[in-house]
Amino acid sequence: MKVEGSVVFVTGANRGLGLQFAKEALSRGAKKVYGAARDPSTVTLAGVIPVKLDVTHAADLAAAAKQCTDVTLLINNAGIARVGSVTQPEAGAVLREQIETNVFGMLGVSQAFAGILGSNGGGAMLNLLSILSWVNTPAIACYGVSKAAAWALTNGLRHELRAQGTQVVGFHAGFIDTDLTRGIDVPKATPADVVSQAFDAVEAGEEEVMVDEPTRQVKQGLSHGVYLKDVLAGG
């Protein structure tokens, strides 16, 4: 599908990648862009329609779907990241928090808008995943668990929604220079570059996009057990 003329709904649109997705959608000629955030007053980009949405709240999801019935491109961007290993005493609570947003939040938004996409001709859904859907590291291990689950969810959505003509795209990236990765001292891609690649993939009809070389290398290495290594330590 083409971004030009589409109606785009971006979760977590007030900052970081979400804000960049909204900017790029407008620059590509989207007819309308909805920007969703817990506090809609923080969505201040000119040309974007603010929508109140906490992806973990059923009432917010229902209200957003009722308000935005013309959506043709859904961008599941909202997510959180917490540091910590799976063996730390508080790992259970840390994992639950991230699963709630990164998996159940994505599920809730997808369920709320799947029928809308179908009724508007199929459209597309872009799910923000990670290199950590496939590999992991103790520094942010619980986040990796949540992204692995989100990848499986995306695969399930792809197969279920194909019949209604909805293109489901999995977006995989390494570290991107946003608030989410602040304090992690590794090479980072720029938001503008990865968002541009993501929209290119949507417009090309692709079902998966890997926006940096580390992610492409990891994908190629899955059959060789690359996930057996610590992605940060290299061993």
Side-chain angles (χ1 to χ4, degrees):
M1 68 170 292
K2 292 295 183 183
V3 177
E4 183 178 4
S6 67
V7 178
V8 183
F9 188 99
V10 186
T11 64
N14 56 326
R15 60 188 179 89
L17 276 187
L19 176 58
Q20 187 62 44
F21 270 112
K23 289 179 179 178
E24 182 71 10
L26 290 172
S27 73
R28 292 194 181 215
K31 181 170 66 175
K32 185 185 294 184
V33 178
Y34 295 107
R38 289 189 182 96
D39 179 357
S41 70
T42 61
V43 179
T44 58
L45 181 63
V48 173
I49 302 169
V51 177
K52 181 183 185 301
L53 179 63
D54 182 329
V55 299
T56 67
H57 288 183
D60 281 6
L61 290 166
K66 184 177 181 179
Q67 174 187 349
C68 309
T69 57
D70 51 353
V71 172
T72 60
L73 174 54
L74 172 64
I75 301 175
N76 273 315
N77 165 76
I80 60 173
R82 302 289 184 258
V83 299
S85 72
V86 292
T87 59
Q88 65 179 330
E90 60 272 27
V94 172
L95 177 57
R96 283 190 187 92
E97 180 190 15
Q98 292 176 100
I99 289 285
E100 190 67 26
T101 297
N102 298 347
V103 183
F104 285 109
M106 181 182 289
L107 173 63
V109 176
S110 300
Q111 288 180 323
F113 283 92
I116 292 171
L117 292 174
S119 66
N120 291 327
M125 176 187 300
L126 177 67
N127 289 353
L128 274 288
L129 305 172
S130 173
I131 192 174
L132 297 174
S133 301
W134 299 321
V135 293
N136 212 321
T137 180
I140 45 176
C142 291
Y143 175 75
V145 173
S146 74
K147 285 300 184 178
W151 178 44
L153 171 59
T154 298
N155 291 333
L157 288 166
R158 179 179 296 116
H159 301 318
E160 289 192 33
L161 298 183
R162 188 175 285 127
Q164 69 174 32
T166 299
Q167 172 193 1
V168 178
V169 185
F171 168 105
H172 293 272
F175 295 97
I176 304 169
D177 192 13
T178 67
D179 292 347
L180 203 66
T181 62
R182 185 177 295 160
I184 301 176
D185 186 19
V186 295
K188 300 172 185 177
T190 65
D193 178 54
V194 300
V195 167
S196 180
Q197 289 187 60
F199 276 135
D200 286 347
V202 170
E203 294 191 330
E206 297 175 9
E207 294 182 311
E208 194 168 61
V209 54
M210 288 146 285
V211 299
D212 52 48
E213 189 56 31
T215 304
R216 288 188 283 270
Q217 290 177 359
V218 164
K219 177 65 183 299
Q220 291 176 355
L222 286 176
S223 63
H224 301 292
V226 67
Y227 49 85
L228 300 175
K229 299 180 180 180
D230 181 337
V231 65
L232 289 183

